[in-house]
Amino acid sequence: MVSSLMIGERRLGVVLSSLVGVLGLFMAGYADQSAYEYQGLIILAYSLAVLFVLVRGYFSPEPSGNDRLGYYDDPIRAGIVIAMIWAMVGLSVGVWVASLLAWPELTFQQAWASFGRLRPVHTTGVIFGFGGNALIATSFHVMQRTSRARMPDQFSPWFVLAGYNLFCILAVSGYLLGITQSKEYAEPEWYADILLVVAWVVYLVLYLRTLARRTEPHIYVANWYYLAFIIVVAILHVVNNLALPISPTSSKSFSLFSGVQDAMTQWWYGHNAVAFFLTAGFLGMMYYYLPTRAGRPIFSYRLSIIGFWGITFFYMWAGSHHLHYTALPHWVQTLGMTFSVMLLIPSWASAANALLTLNGAWHKVRDDATLRFMMVAALFYGLSTFEGSFMAIRPVNSLSHYTDWTVGHVHAGALGWVALITFGAFYSLVPILWKRKQMYSPRLVEVHFWCALAGTVIYVFAMWNSGIIQGLMWRTYNDSGTLAYSFIESLVAMHPYYIARMIGGLFFLGGAIVGFYNIWMTIREKNPANLRERGDKPLSTSGGVTARNTAE
């Protein structure tokens, strides 16, 4: 890793790591709270670990000119491994959290093990740890191959990975210590938010610099989606996390928004985090890895562009459907509902485009579990987007909101769409990056696929049933006009579904463990094959410009 850096880049890494370590030391030494002190110690330990790696390889020979002619893949390899580690952490905590709903005593009377602290560890670990690292790694791969240009420097991608993962570590450790803003998908406090902004700006600049150096004149559509993901997530993060810290020595801050404005800002952020983090970014992944794996051009390049602009414009207005029947002005609720229904058009256009790309390659779907991951992910994307538009309609929302139906909807997207397309991309990418003929065990890829699919179906169906029963019980009145069921009675009715939910999570976790083992053994396998990557060819001959010309 360090040997691929120039001396000046190594020196810059040492300086920045030292400065981060000094910052952590300041936080630990002057903290007003013990939890903030621990956060400072975590930053210090992280910077020392990075310094150790840099110093250990500091005097390695600089890379020659020939070493810098090809694509720069070391950060991509690291990002894949880190993403899989976060998957193990996030999914394991998710099974624990699901178990807590069925057996609340599993907190073992520890404050850090309560549902309120573990649940954001699960969501952050899976969404930002696993999903975020997967997006960063695959975007580094896609932008180089589709541009036929190497990243402009070796330092920036490592800075992005190191800074982003420090943010994730601070976030999950902070939750266990009781540090939180209590905002959905935006729980980290002000100091972690600032760190993410710095890493994210470097990420955006790196992406734009690589595109500016491209030798391929056409910017393939996957880059459109990745750029939308990077730019809009930055805007959402900055606006939603505008806050005033109590002091530099305290972890606590207060939002600049209050009341209904705070709620509207949060769900403008929350829904668009789904739109541009969990949708746009992974559509970029799908638009590259599905056609290259299938060996087919995108069915319609024009349709992919129409879908892009439809998703980009419509999603920005849909967040208020989370606030039906609240103090938010009625017209704003209606606006969010209307745009949510309209979103079905570009969303289904993307799902259909992916499935129609497989025309002439369905025999590969039957025989290739990696391609099957991507195909089923596209199906779940279409299902989830239809369900989301349906649930945004006010009368449906009156039944579904605050129930497990919403939880089932989220996991249909998170497990069925996000995780499956990511695993498919990884299985396609790992043999290429590590120069192997295939995965260590194609049979284990099959095992992973069926475990993941079974886990997703069990989980989602359990939550659909649970949520609808909850909604009906909460709105049922007896002859005297009072509620027929108490809240405790609804909880008792949910117990079997919560057990099923935990079982579905176990299946999915088991599949991920199989996948991690398979990837790790592929990496460790000896005698790598001297293979040329499909993506090393100009994309115009492997699914990009050809698709555009076909569509036109």
Side-chain angles (χ1 to χ4, degrees):
M1 181 186 80
V2 179
S3 61
S4 66
L5 302 178
M6 304 299 289
I7 292 296
E9 293 171 331
R10 299 174 197 178
R11 189 178 299 116
L12 180 59
V14 169
V15 171
L16 289 179
S17 300
S18 301
L19 291 175
V20 171
V22 170
L23 175 63
L25 193 62
F26 170 82
M27 290 172 59
Y30 292 92
D32 293 340
Q33 313 135 305
S34 59
Y36 192 56
E37 178 184 348
Y38 292 140
Q39 293 275 271
L41 292 174
I42 289 171
I43 293 175
L44 177 61
Y46 189 90
S47 65
L48 289 175
V50 174
L51 268 175
F52 174 78
V53 172
L54 287 169
V55 171
R56 188 179 178 186
Y58 188 85
F59 295 104
S60 301
E62 280 191 309
S64 65
N66 291 334
D67 295 332
R68 295 163 59 86
L69 292 177
Y71 298 126
Y72 189 43
D73 290 339
D74 287 352
I76 305 172
R77 298 186 185 98
I80 290 173
V81 174
I82 293 169
M84 290 304 298
I85 292 172
W86 275 111
M88 298 298 100
V89 173
L91 292 172
S92 299
V93 176
V95 172
W96 187 0
V97 169
S99 302
L100 279 175
L101 293 172
W103 302 286
E105 63 274 11
L106 290 179
T107 59
F108 309 110
Q109 298 183 344
Q110 298 295 316
W112 62 267
S114 63
F115 182 91
R117 296 196 185 184
L118 288 179
R119 191 261 180 177
V121 172
H122 162 61
T123 55
T124 298
V126 172
I127 296 173
F128 297 109
F130 171 56
N133 278 288
L135 287 169
I136 291 170
T138 56
S139 68
F140 286 167
H141 180 259
V142 171
M143 71 181 183
Q144 291 185 99
R145 269 62 183 185
T146 58
S147 302
R148 289 192 285 171
R150 181 185 172 93
M151 284 188 278
D153 69 272
Q154 289 74 231
F155 178 78
S156 296
W158 290 113
F159 181 87
V160 172
L161 277 176
Y164 182 78
N165 282 283
L166 177 56
F167 160 78
C168 292
I169 292 170
L170 288 176
V172 298
S173 60
Y175 306 150
L176 297 176
L177 294 167
I179 298 175
T180 177
Q181 285 190 112
S182 301
K183 289 187 172 187
E184 185 77 353
Y185 307 135
E187 290 94 342
E189 270 288 1
W190 63 273
Y191 54 93
D193 291 335
I194 292 174
L195 171 64
L196 179 59
V197 169
V198 174
W200 211 255
V201 169
V202 174
Y203 183 22
L204 173 61
V205 172
L206 173 63
Y207 208 104
L208 293 175
R209 288 172 65 201
T210 305
L211 290 180
R213 303 174 78 241
R214 70 187 187 276
T215 58
E216 167 61 51
H218 174 64
I219 299 179
Y220 183 55
V221 68
N223 291 296
W224 292 43
Y225 283 97
Y226 277 122
L227 272 175
F229 143 69
I230 297 169
I231 294 170
V232 179
V233 165
I235 297 170
L236 299 169
H237 175 77
V238 169
V239 174
N240 189 50
N241 290 290
L242 289 173
L244 184 64
I246 291 177
S247 76
T249 59
S250 173
S251 64
K252 185 61 183 171
S253 65
F254 292 97
S255 174
L256 294 187
F257 305 102
S258 62
V260 73
Q261 289 83 9
D262 188 40
M264 182 64 249
T265 304
Q266 160 58 29
W267 283 110
W268 168 77
Y269 163 88
H271 195 75
N272 282 296
V274 173
F276 290 92
F277 201 99
L278 298 178
T279 299
F282 290 94
L283 282 173
M285 194 184 293
M286 181 195 76
Y287 271 117
Y288 181 82
Y289 292 103
L290 186 144
T292 54
R293 186 72 183 188
R296 303 285 299 173
I298 283 291
F299 172 74
S300 171
Y301 194 83
R302 283 182 175 176
L303 191 60
S304 69
I305 299 300
I306 292 171
F308 171 82
W309 287 113
I311 287 171
T312 302
F313 180 73
F314 291 163
Y315 251 121
M316 296 298 289
W317 301 88
S320 58
H321 75 234
H322 288 268
L323 298 170
H324 284 322
Y325 305 103
T326 67
L328 194 72
H330 194 270
W331 71 268
V332 181
Q333 299 177 34
T334 303
L335 185 72
M337 177 181 68
T338 303
F339 274 93
S340 298
V341 174
M342 292 164 64
L343 261 172
L344 190 59
I345 299 171
S347 298
W348 270 27
S350 298
N353 209 6
L355 295 174
L356 290 171
T357 298
L358 297 173
N359 282 343
W362 286 104
H363 62 286
K364 295 183 180 180
V365 176
R366 180 194 61 207
D367 300 330
D368 184 0
T370 297
L371 188 57
R372 206 179 312 132
F373 266 105
M374 302 184 202
M375 183 274 291
V376 175
L379 287 175
F380 268 103
Y381 175 66
L383 168 69
S384 301
T385 51
F386 169 77
E387 186 183 28
S389 297
F390 182 66
M391 293 170 70
I393 300 171
R394 193 177 284 108
V396 179
N397 194 267
S398 68
L399 174 68
S400 69
H401 212 45
Y402 309 115
T403 72
D404 289 333
W405 187 356
T406 303
V407 178
H409 165 63
V410 169
H411 283 78
L415 301 180
W417 158 239
V418 169
L420 292 190
I421 192 65
T422 301
F423 289 135
F426 281 2
Y427 283 135
S428 178
L429 194 50
V430 166
I432 290 171
L433 290 178
W434 276 274
K435 301 294 187 293
R436 308 297 191 252
K437 291 182 179 179
Q438 60 181 8
M439 291 298 299
Y440 168 75
S441 173
R443 181 168 294 182
L444 288 181
V445 180
E446 287 278 357
V447 171
H448 183 187
F449 171 79
W450 290 111
C451 284
L453 181 59
T456 303
V457 170
I458 292 170
Y459 190 112
V460 171
F461 271 89
M463 291 297 94
W464 280 345
N465 282 277
S466 170
I468 293 172
I469 292 172
Q470 274 179 328
L472 293 174
M473 290 181 75
W474 294 349
R475 70 196 316 188
T476 301
Y477 293 87
N478 56 29
D479 293 338
S480 63
T482 59
L483 289 172
Y485 303 99
S486 68
F487 185 74
I488 296 298
E489 287 175 308
S490 72
L491 284 179
V492 172
M494 296 308 105
H495 192 261
Y497 298 109
Y498 289 155
I499 295 175
R501 171 189 192 171
M502 183 272 297
I503 293 172
L506 274 175
F507 268 100
F508 203 91
L509 172 61
I513 292 172
V514 170
F516 183 78
Y517 171 78
N518 203 6
I519 289 173
W520 184 248
M521 293 304 293
T522 305
I523 294 170
R524 294 189 59 190
E525 193 175 8
K526 297 180 180 179
N527 301 321
N530 185 18
L531 299 178
R532 177 177 177 149
E533 179 184 346
R534 284 188 295 264
D536 284 346
K537 301 175 184 178
L539 193 58
S540 58
T541 63
S542 61
V545 179
T546 301
R548 179 187 59 178
N549 295 338
T550 301
E552 293 176 352

